[in-house]
Amino acid sequence: MALASWKQFKFFDVSQVKLPEDESAALSEQGNITSVASGSESVFFGSADGTVRILSQSFKVVRSFKAHDVGAIRHMKQVQGTALLVTIAEDLSSEPVLKVWALDKLEKKSGIPRCQSTLTIHNGRKQFPISAFAALDDLSQLAVGFANGAVTVVRGDLIHDRGARQRTVFESEEPITGIEFREGSITTLYIATTGRIATLIISGRGQGQPARSLDETGCGVGCMTVDKATRDVIVARDDAIYYYGPQGRGPVYAFEGEKKMITIFKDYVAVVSPPKSNTITRTGPLRSFGGGHTDDLFNTSSFTLINTDLKFKAHEEALTSQIKDLVSEWGDLFVLTMDGKIFRYHEKPFAQKLELLYQRDLYPYAINLAQKAELDATQKNVILRKYGDYLYRKQDYDTAMQMYLKAIDNTEPSQVIRKFLDTQRIHNLIEYLEELHEHHKATSDHTTLLLNCYAKLKDVEKLEEFIKSPGDLKFDLDTAISMCRQGGYYDQAAFLARKHEEHELVVDILIEDSKRYAEALAYIWRLEPDTSYHNLMKYATVLLEHCPKDATQIFIDYYTGRFRPKKDAIVIQNAPATQGMGMGLASNAVQNLAALLPLPYMNTNTIGSPASAGEQKTTLSQAQIVETNLDEPPPEYKVPKPRTAFSAFVDHAGEFIIFLEACIQADELNDDNKSDLYTTLFEMYLHIASSKKDEEKELWETKAKKLIEGKDVPIDTSNVLLLSHLSNYRDGTILVREKQGLRFDIFRSYTSAKDTAGAIKALRKYGPEEPQLYPAALAYFTSSPTILEEAGDELHTVLQKIDDDGLMAPLQVIQTLSVNGVATMGMVKDYLAATIERERLEIANNRRMISTFRADTDIKRADLETLSTKPVVFQATRCASCARPLALPTVHFLCKHSFHQSCLNASEDDDEEVECPLCAPQNATVRAIRKAQVESAERHDLFLDALKRSRDKFGTVSEWFGRGVMGVGAAE
């Protein structure tokens, strides 16, 4: 790219330095100033008389001293960061002299800086002027080029004057026009002549090799320099500016015109060239050798500052006087002219440079300039945003958006979004919103807008790419899911919710939006117990409505403590499954669910046999999802109370019964849960039975009866009674009363319901254990003609039982039968006849017993009378005990028994009453009976108890009267 086409700016403010009068005179004197150098906050002028003047920032002479007695100071170098100054003087009558000065060390006598070392530079005793000079920063090596084409390298410790060695390293038939060092792992000396550019390694690997030619074209004196930042050597020729690196020639920038001088200032290359109209006919390389100063006074110079990296001219002007030298210090560039003037070139602040570029809409230059200056991201983004605004005004929307995207980190999104809300620019808007999400700067509103844009374009592919992007979440999850649902993208919403573990949202989307009830249930079955329970209870009713069997089963598993989250495996179709897996074919719900979103607990390790090398790779869409039946123990979780699930089964009685029956069979149920389950199941049996007829009704009632028939059934009887009553289920009421021994209540329930057959059945079942049922039955059977007719022969059976067991007196029976006037004499004729006959026989028997007792009583009285009034004759001849003949002493008893006294074990002196041994047991019995009668006469409670338990009350009274309970015996 030719330099003439480069943009030109005015990035430098130019001002003339106001010099003291004496210094201005010295500068304007032709030939007085022979060299200029700068460094360490000072400018150094070398004069033709060998004097060095040190100037401050105000260009006042701080110090001057005589550096050389002979010759003019043609070259100087100030070592940056030190107080060392190198001067070289020559007069062509002798060899050049090099001196190193310590400016911070002054001689006590003269007060001038101390000379650290002095060295005469050899050129084979050839008197040629020095045309080029270069030195390393540590002054360990110096290179001096001569007009005869020789280059001398000086090595040594010039700072401490420890000696130095000189050697001519390069010779050429052409004069040396430039010398520069390039430092690195090796030190390379770049040598320029009028005819070529060569390199010479003077230290490091390759040292000692001959010079290598880089270019067969040379350059003029002063037209070669080095960029300290990049270490590239820069050469200015009449046609262009050339860069040289370690590998040879680098970039070339076309710049037509004769070049007089070149130097580096910051990022710029400063080029001095005379006007073409004033170009002399002599060749450029020789113009420095013999050119007249008088001609220079009337010629003008063109001065240009260019940035080769960014390809623009920072400053360009023509000076009325020829430029003598260029020097930089204090951050400015100074130009010395032949007429003794000094101009300061001060680079404008960066903000001003940007403003100049903004005014000309040269935003790419501003961007490049900011990158070159390494501005922070915020400042760069300001430029990019301005550039975007400019392009937007030019209606270059695509490029403008690229600028906004680059400046996205420091740009208020609303400023950009408002520009692209037009439907025609929706693609740009999508691009910007996507980038906002990539930079995690998007709000929920931005997410909403982006998803709306996708929906407007119906771009499902982009939508899926957005929500399935890898890495961290880049958008507001709730907003994205909500917008997908509103737009009808249910699969994408479910995917987002599943990816970010929002299980409740997944289930909600599958049920409320997609209506995929089977997939929702399959998903719930694959969650952890606590999460699964929460979602199951929330959607239980709808799941039971659409998937009754599977939903009931998951309820059973969870409430019986056997819930295991289902796991799945990927099996390649037509490939044998891994042995021991025990896998069956997955349901359609599982297949659909797996295609929709990643299943929880997906066992990706369970895959069919891998394809051989020659087979085509199988994709997931070609695979089949199967449920794995692994024998794993169920996870531990707190099993909820069964009653918490009852409300879910509203309007699903059949499934509810299955659930209750399964829970009853479960182990480790506490009493409260058992009571709830049995009571509710009993109620459900009765509920189903109430809606059935005939055999089906009997079947359900039988189930209900079996449920409460068993022993230790944990169901409250009051609940059974209440539920049985509400459902008009009499068997339940009967069963409860039967368990509680309320047989009379059972019979009464039949009679109150006018259920004669049931009453007869209850009488036959409970009558033997509850005799009082027969009198009640007698009253019921004769309560109405209809009931009497229904009872039939059962009335006679009841009367017979009453008569046999004496349950009622005949008078009571007659009174009971006569209450309603239903029974006729013909019905009770047999009963009455039998009763009368039995009474007659009993009366006759009683009379006989009375006669017998009276006769016995008379006999006893006669015996007592005889014993008490008449003597008794004892005729016994043998002892009643030993059967031997009686011999005195003998004892005779009134009972006519006689004994030897010795057989009675009684002595004559014994006063104790002696009783007949043979009659003693009988007498003792009589006395015991009498004693009992006397004692019981005072125990009226025993009498009353006996009377209460007796069927023959009168007989009992008679018996106790005989015992003396009425006090008769006591009185006697």
Side-chain angles (χ1 to χ4, degrees):
M1 181 177 182
L3 196 64
S5 63
W6 288 9
K7 293 291 183 181
Q8 180 177 334
F9 308 108
K10 290 186 178 182
F11 284 169
F12 285 84
D13 293 324
V14 183
S15 62
Q16 184 176 348
V17 177
K18 187 176 181 180
L19 299 172
E21 293 183 3
D22 55 347
E23 194 62 29
S24 177
L27 287 173
S28 62
E29 185 180 345
Q30 292 296 321
N32 186 31
I33 303 302
T34 55
S35 62
V36 182
S38 64
S40 299
E41 302 296 323
S42 298
V43 172
F44 305 90
F45 286 167
S47 61
D49 60 357
T51 301
V52 174
R53 292 199 297 276
I54 304 175
L55 284 71
S56 65
Q57 190 171 359
S58 60
F59 281 84
K60 293 181 180 180
V61 177
V62 177
R63 179 181 294 111
S64 66
F65 62 94
K66 187 75 171 178
H68 295 268
D69 295 331
V70 179
I73 300 175
R74 297 296 182 182
H75 300 277
M76 286 192 300
K77 178 179 177 61
Q78 202 283 328
V79 181
Q80 288 290 341
T82 69
L84 299 176
L85 179 67
V86 179
T87 61
I88 301 177
E90 59 178 344
D91 65 352
L92 297 182
S93 62
S94 61
E95 292 181 328
V97 177
L98 181 147
K99 290 184 179 182
V100 178
W101 302 88
L103 302 179
D104 57 345
K105 298 177 181 179
L106 303 178
E107 297 291 348
K108 293 181 179 180
K109 292 181 179 180
S110 60
I112 66 173
R114 179 184 301 173
C115 181
Q116 295 293 102
S117 60
T118 302
L119 178 69
T120 300
I121 301 175
H122 303 301
N123 185 19
R125 297 185 182 277
K126 300 174 182 178
Q127 303 300 319
F128 286 91
I130 296 175
S131 56
F133 168 70
L136 296 179
D137 288 341
D138 59 0
L139 300 182
S140 61
Q141 295 189 82
L142 296 85
V144 181
F146 294 93
N148 66 338
V151 176
T152 300
V153 173
V154 180
R155 292 186 177 92
D157 188 354
L158 298 177
I159 297 175
H160 301 94
D161 198 15
R162 295 176 180 172
R165 300 187 307 274
Q166 300 184 43
R167 186 166 67 91
T168 300
V169 297
F170 182 83
E171 290 183 325
S172 171
E173 295 180 355
E174 301 163 341
I176 303 299
T177 57
I179 291 179
E180 294 293 345
F181 282 104
R182 179 187 177 91
E183 294 184 84
S185 58
I186 60 174
T187 302
T188 305
L189 184 64
Y190 283 74
I191 304 170
T193 68
T194 57
R196 62 172 175 158
I197 305 294
T199 60
L200 182 67
I201 299 174
I202 59 174
S203 65
R205 185 177 180 182
Q207 182 181 357
Q209 296 179 359
R212 182 170 68 94
S213 178
L214 291 182
D215 203 335
E216 295 303 322
T217 304
C219 68
V221 175
C223 292
M224 181 178 185
T225 187
V226 64
D227 188 346
K228 297 291 184 181
T230 63
R231 294 185 293 183
D232 287 339
V233 173
I234 304 172
V235 174
R237 300 193 183 106
D238 291 348
D239 60 339
I241 296 175
Y242 296 80
Y243 278 71
Y244 292 90
Q247 305 302 324
R249 180 192 289 183
V252 177
Y253 303 96
F255 188 5
E256 294 291 340
E258 184 182 353
K259 314 299 186 302
K260 179 182 179 181
M261 193 181 305
I262 185 173
T263 189
I264 298 296
F265 174 66
K266 296 183 178 179
D267 294 331
Y268 306 101
V269 177
V271 181
V272 177
S273 56
K276 294 181 180 180
S277 60
N278 294 336
T279 302
I280 58 177
T281 57
R282 65 172 64 92
T283 59
L286 299 179
R287 65 179 179 273
S288 295
F289 307 107
H293 294 294
T294 303
D295 295 335
D296 292 339
L297 290 174
F298 300 99
N299 292 331
T300 60
S301 294
S302 175
F303 177 59
T304 307
L305 286 166
I306 61 175
N307 189 316
T308 56
D309 286 342
L310 304 183
K311 299 180 176 57
F312 67 84
K313 298 177 183 179
H315 185 82
E316 186 175 31
E317 68 173 321
L319 298 177
T320 57
S321 176
Q322 286 288 323
I323 295 176
K324 182 178 181 61
D325 212 335
L326 301 174
V327 65
S328 61
E329 191 62 34
W330 306 296
D332 294 332
L333 180 66
F334 296 92
V335 176
L336 283 72
T337 61
M338 290 293 187
D339 57 2
K341 296 178 181 179
I342 299 178
F343 294 93
R344 182 195 303 270
Y345 286 78
H346 177 72
E347 188 176 12
K348 292 181 179 180
F350 195 83
Q352 290 187 17
K353 292 192 290 184
L354 289 180
E355 193 60 36
L356 290 173
L357 295 174
Y358 296 158
Q359 292 173 2
R360 297 172 60 180
D361 295 330
L362 297 176
Y363 295 99
Y365 285 93
I367 294 171
N368 295 333
L369 199 63
Q371 292 175 342
K372 182 71 174 178
E374 297 181 353
L375 296 184
D376 59 37
T378 303
Q379 293 174 300
K380 291 180 182 177
N381 289 339
V382 171
I383 302 171
L384 292 169
R385 189 164 59 249
K386 287 180 177 293
Y387 188 24
D389 293 341
Y390 167 74
L391 293 171
Y392 183 85
R393 292 193 298 271
K394 294 292 185 180
Q395 297 185 355
D396 186 358
Y397 301 118
D398 292 340
T399 310
M401 178 53 67
Q402 296 306 312
M403 296 303 107
Y404 290 135
L405 292 177
K406 291 179 181 179
I408 198 169
D409 288 332
N410 303 104
T411 303
E412 172 57 40
S414 59
Q415 298 177 0
V416 179
I417 292 173
R418 282 196 296 266
K419 298 177 183 291
F420 292 89
L421 287 177
D422 193 311
T423 306
Q424 296 178 354
R425 296 190 284 277
I426 192 171
H427 292 285
N428 298 124
L429 180 58
I430 289 175
E431 188 178 9
Y432 187 75
L433 292 171
E434 288 175 343
E435 196 67 20
L436 276 179
H437 287 84
E438 285 293 329
H439 284 73
H440 300 280
K441 291 176 62 64
T443 65
S444 58
D445 292 336
H446 298 147
T447 303
T448 301
L449 182 58
L450 177 58
L451 295 178
N452 278 329
C453 291
Y454 288 147
K456 192 175 187 67
L457 296 178
K458 294 181 171 39
D459 194 342
V460 180
E461 183 178 350
K462 290 283 287 184
L463 174 61
E464 291 195 347
E465 181 182 348
F466 173 70
I467 66 174
K468 295 181 180 180
S469 58
D472 297 336
L473 187 64
K474 302 170 184 176
F475 48 83
D476 184 76
L477 180 62
D478 293 338
T479 301
I481 293 175
S482 176
M483 291 305 302
C484 286
R485 296 179 71 175
Q486 291 178 17
Y489 299 102
Y490 304 134
D491 292 354
Q492 289 76 10
F495 177 88
L496 272 178
R498 168 66 192 99
K499 181 180 179 182
H500 298 283
E501 303 295 327
E502 296 290 341
H503 303 301
E504 185 174 349
L505 270 177
V506 175
V507 178
D508 188 70
I509 294 167
L510 291 174
I511 291 177
E512 300 295 342
D513 299 331
S514 301
K515 310 299 181 184
R516 298 181 177 181
Y517 306 105
E519 285 91 329
L521 186 61
Y523 186 84
I524 292 174
W525 218 321
R526 284 155 177 79
L527 299 176
E528 287 292 341
D530 292 341
T531 309
S532 177
Y533 174 72
H534 175 74
N535 287 279
L536 179 63
M537 295 305 297
K538 184 175 181 180
Y539 301 100
T541 303
V542 67
L543 291 175
L544 285 167
E545 178 70 27
H546 296 89
C547 310
K549 182 177 179 181
D550 290 338
T552 304
Q553 187 59 48
I554 192 174
F555 266 105
I556 292 173
D557 289 351
Y558 199 91
Y559 278 88
T560 56
R562 300 193 301 267
F563 178 80
R564 293 182 179 87
K566 288 189 176 182
K567 299 184 179 181
D568 304 278
I570 304 173
V571 175
I572 307 304
Q573 294 180 359
N574 300 325
T578 306
Q579 293 183 357
M581 210 56 181
M583 296 180 297
L585 290 178
S587 64
N588 289 334
V590 177
Q591 291 291 334
N592 296 338
L593 184 62
L596 170 65
L597 48 94
L599 291 172
Y601 297 105
M602 177 68 78
N603 186 1
T604 54
N605 294 326
T606 308
I607 302 179
S609 303
S612 62
E615 295 177 355
Q616 185 177 3
K617 183 177 179 181
T618 305
T619 62
L620 182 60
S621 61
Q622 297 172 314
Q624 187 177 25
I625 309 300
V626 298
E627 295 180 0
T628 59
N629 299 319
L630 301 178
D631 296 331
E632 298 180 357
E636 294 184 3
Y637 62 94
K638 183 179 179 181
V639 179
K641 292 184 178 181
R643 68 166 40 256
T644 59
F646 291 175
S647 60
F649 289 90
V650 175
D651 297 330
H652 300 284
E655 289 76 19
F656 192 22
I657 289 175
I658 295 173
F659 169 73
L660 293 172
E661 290 175 342
C663 289
I664 286 176
Q665 301 301 322
D667 300 330
E668 301 180 359
L669 281 175
N670 58 40
D671 293 340
D672 290 341
N673 291 338
K674 284 184 178 180
S675 178
D676 289 342
L677 290 170
Y678 274 83
T679 302
T680 308
L681 183 58
F682 179 70
E683 180 182 3
M684 292 307 301
Y685 283 156
L686 295 182
H687 173 71
I688 297 296
S690 64
S691 61
K692 304 295 181 181
K693 294 182 179 180
D694 302 333
E695 294 181 359
E696 290 188 17
K697 180 174 184 177
E698 184 178 352
L699 175 64
W700 286 104
E701 287 183 344
T702 302
K703 285 188 175 184
K705 187 174 183 180
K706 286 182 179 179
L707 185 65
I708 60 176
E709 271 182 344
K711 296 181 179 180
D712 301 326
V713 176
I715 184 170
D716 187 71
T717 54
S718 60
N719 290 333
V720 176
L721 288 173
L722 176 62
L723 294 173
S724 299
H725 174 72
L726 294 175
S727 301
N728 196 25
Y729 178 56
R730 187 177 300 160
D731 288 350
T733 304
I734 293 172
L735 193 59
V736 172
R737 291 173 176 172
E738 187 178 284
K739 286 185 177 181
Q740 294 182 338
L742 303 176
R743 301 177 183 88
F744 205 93
D745 289 346
I746 297 173
F747 180 79
R748 190 179 298 159
S749 67
Y750 284 116
T751 59
S752 61
K754 307 297 183 182
D755 185 358
T756 304
I760 294 172
K761 183 178 178 181
L763 181 65
R764 290 174 180 175
K765 184 175 182 179
Y766 307 122
E769 298 178 4
E770 193 73 30
Q772 292 303 317
L773 291 178
Y774 291 101
L778 179 64
Y780 171 70
F781 290 157
T782 59
S783 61
S784 71
T786 304
I787 294 174
L788 182 61
E789 184 178 354
E790 292 175 353
D793 294 337
E794 193 65 27
L795 176 63
H796 299 290
T797 304
V798 170
L799 288 173
Q800 184 65 40
K801 182 66 175 178
I802 291 174
D803 187 34
D804 292 343
D805 294 345
L807 300 178
M808 295 177 68
L811 182 59
Q812 292 175 319
V813 172
I814 296 302
Q815 290 175 342
T816 301
L817 294 175
S818 63
V819 171
N820 296 313
V822 175
T824 62
M825 289 299 296
M827 295 178 183
V828 296
K829 179 178 65 175
D830 295 339
Y831 166 74
L832 293 175
T835 300
I836 293 171
E837 182 62 29
R838 185 176 62 255
E839 292 292 340
R840 286 176 179 174
L841 291 175
E842 187 176 352
I843 292 172
N845 186 41
N846 289 338
R847 287 176 177 174
R848 285 194 299 270
M849 289 180 64
I850 291 172
S851 298
T852 302
F853 287 152
R854 284 177 178 175
D856 291 343
T857 301
D858 292 342
I859 293 171
K860 295 297 181 182
R861 284 177 177 174
D863 290 342
L864 289 174
E865 182 66 26
T866 300
L867 290 175
S868 62
T869 60
K870 295 181 180 181
V872 177
V873 178
F874 300 99
Q875 297 179 350
T877 60
R878 290 183 178 277
C879 176
S881 175
C882 64
R884 289 181 295 178
L886 291 173
L888 296 175
T890 303
V891 179
H892 300 280
F893 293 94
L894 293 177
C895 60
K896 303 297 182 70
H897 294 141
S898 300
F899 300 90
H900 293 111
Q901 185 176 3
S902 58
C903 291
L904 292 176
N905 296 324
S907 62
E908 294 180 359
D909 298 331
D910 193 356
D911 295 335
E912 292 183 4
E913 184 179 351
V914 179
E915 188 176 8
C916 174
L918 296 180
C919 296
Q922 184 178 357
N923 294 336
T925 300
V926 173
R927 286 194 295 270
I929 292 173
R930 180 57 184 165
K931 183 179 179 181
Q933 289 178 346
V934 173
E935 291 177 353
S936 63
E938 301 297 330
R939 296 290 303 277
H940 299 294
D941 56 336
L942 296 177
F943 165 69
L944 295 175
D945 182 66
L947 184 64
K948 183 178 181 181
R949 290 184 288 102
S950 174
R951 294 183 179 180
D952 186 4
K953 309 295 184 183
F954 184 78
T956 302
V957 173
S958 301
E959 180 185 353
W960 281 82
F961 180 80
R963 294 179 183 179
V965 73
M966 303 302 177
V968 177
E972 292 179 350

